[in-house]
Amino acid sequence: MSKHLRFIARTIMVQDGNVDAAYKTLNRVLTQDGIIESVKRKRYFEKPCRERQRKSYENCKRIYNTEMARKIAFISQTNRADPWLGC
Amino acid sequence: MFKLNCILASSVSNVCRQLSASLNASGSSLKVAYGFGSVGLQRTLCASAVRLQDTAASIAGSEKSSRDYSHFSPLIDQESSLRWGGKKFEELPIVHVKATYNNTHIQLTESTGQSMVRTSCGTEGFKNIKKSTPIAAQTAGISAAAKAKAKGVTFVRVVVKGLGPGRLPAIKGLTMGGLEVVSITDNTPVPHNGCRPRKARRL
């Protein structure tokens, strides 16, 4: 941190003395930036073979989840084009 | 997000009134409000070095209450009239909280870096496994706050390092002990693949 400007990145101001909300916001921002999970992962060494397995697993999971969410959203949509239009 | 922007745009008068009421600012509070709004939006657009995704930055930047409060810290080169106990943000003392998995250290330093107060779970009388509990961290926070108040410190900014059990309870202990936390920074060291950590545990 000493090489960069301090108190600019990863900083949240506390509003109205609400430290809990500020900490929650900080946690949310850090998880969204992927810092918390990377710190947890780097606690122990992850062998390159395990890293490749994990990456491919996350990729497949992401593809599956997006496809499934697309299908569910398509089926559960309410504003559909009228199938009997014109007859 | 659109609604929040509407609230922001329509409540400038509220902003001026509340800013001047709460911060005892000088007569240039109107200008400061405008400056803060534009600063906040600029900060939203230029992501800082650590922000990997734009979504997080835009979410944090667009969360503006009607008080024109910014989640970001005031930039040093920009003129901000925010004062805590008469001090600017850069002059407030810093509390370093190092939350390891086995212990929690709390050190209060001046803005220059001079150490004022140093406590940890061990100095509070806890031993071995009891040091790695949230209660120990909270007692360390309370005692650190008490010592700091004896030296005349009220407003403080907190820097947390590490993901241990005492990360949040230490800050809670500081507020319970009477210190006012102004901002929370996270300084957890994240190596860009530097030193090799120890091998994986097989339980």
Side-chain angles (χ1 to χ4, degrees):
Chain A
M1 188 173 160
S2 53
K3 301 252 188 321
H4 301 285
L5 280 178
R6 310 173 79 195
F7 295 100
I8 292 197
R10 304 192 255 172
T11 302
I12 302 283
M13 304 293 285
V14 168
Q15 190 184 18
D16 300 330
N18 199 352
V19 177
D20 288 328
Y23 184 78
K24 264 179 143 182
T25 321
L26 178 73
N27 247 359
R28 177 166 40 88
V29 170
L30 289 177
T31 22
Q32 280 175 344
D33 285 346
I35 292 181
I36 302 270
E37 52 157 317
S38 86
V39 166
K40 280 199 199 138
R41 202 182 311 130
K42 287 191 192 296
R43 191 182 169 192
Y44 303 113
F45 181 67
E46 184 184 27
K47 289 189 177 173
C49 68
R50 305 281 303 159
E51 186 183 343
R52 273 178 263 125
Q53 288 170 355
R54 178 184 53 86
K55 281 205 154 72
S56 94
Y57 165 78
E58 280 172 5
N59 230 350
C60 297
K61 202 165 136 190
R62 182 177 302 126
I63 294 168
Y64 177 85
N65 285 343
T66 44
E67 285 301 305
M68 192 53 103
R70 247 189 67 218
K71 287 178 189 170
I72 291 174
F74 174 74
I75 289 175
S76 60
Q77 67 183 345
T78 47
N79 294 339
R80 301 179 188 183
D82 186 10
W84 306 110
L85 187 66
C87 59
Chain B
M1 191 166 140
F2 178 66
K3 260 198 210 147
L4 286 169
N5 283 338
C6 281
I7 293 170
L8 170 67
S10 64
S11 66
V12 173
S13 57
N14 280 350
V15 162
C16 301
R17 234 183 299 128
Q18 288 176 23
L19 258 183
S20 54
S22 63
L23 299 175
N24 303 328
S26 60
S28 63
S29 56
L30 185 80
K31 246 194 265 175
V32 169
Y34 271 116
F36 243 82
S38 58
V39 161
L41 290 169
Q42 279 165 22
R43 294 285 290 278
T44 317
L45 292 172
C46 60
S48 54
V50 190
R51 303 246 148 114
L52 307 167
Q53 298 165 11
D54 310 294
T55 50
S58 62
I59 287 169
S62 66
E63 271 175 11
K64 285 185 180 285
S65 65
S66 59
R67 269 183 72 228
D68 194 39
Y69 156 80
S70 165
H71 275 268
F72 298 120
S73 60
L75 290 168
I76 296 177
D77 50 339
Q78 303 258 357
E79 274 300 318
S80 78
S81 73
L82 291 176
R83 300 283 182 268
W84 292 272
K87 291 193 183 171
K88 284 197 244 194
F89 184 75
E90 302 86 50
E91 299 157 13
L92 289 172
I94 312 168
V95 169
H96 287 94
V97 173
K98 180 171 177 179
T100 59
Y101 293 101
N102 291 329
N103 201 344
T104 312
H105 301 259
I106 302 179
Q107 184 167 34
L108 176 73
T109 73
E110 294 273 355
S111 56
T112 51
Q114 286 280 336
S115 168
M116 298 203 292
V117 169
R118 200 159 78 165
T119 44
S120 77
C121 299
T123 57
E124 298 307 299
F126 294 94
K127 299 241 184 257
N128 298 330
I129 200 169
K130 304 226 178 53
K131 293 190 294 193
S132 60
T133 51
I135 300 140
Q138 198 173 55
T139 42
I142 294 174
S143 96
K147 290 183 191 176
K149 286 210 96 134
K151 299 213 171 182
V153 169
T154 34
F155 295 94
V156 102
R157 20 179 192 162
V158 170
V159 174
V160 270
K161 193 180 278 209
L163 289 177
R167 205 166 121 112
L168 178 62
I171 315 177
K172 286 281 253 327
L174 288 175
T175 37
M176 280 169 65
L179 283 186
E180 291 277 337
V181 172
V182 158
S183 75
I184 308 180
T185 321
D186 179 88
N187 193 16
T188 316
V190 53
H192 301 329
N193 288 357
C195 301
R196 178 169 168 149
R198 56 156 291 180
K199 66 179 185 183
R201 294 174 68 202
R202 283 180 292 281
L203 299 159

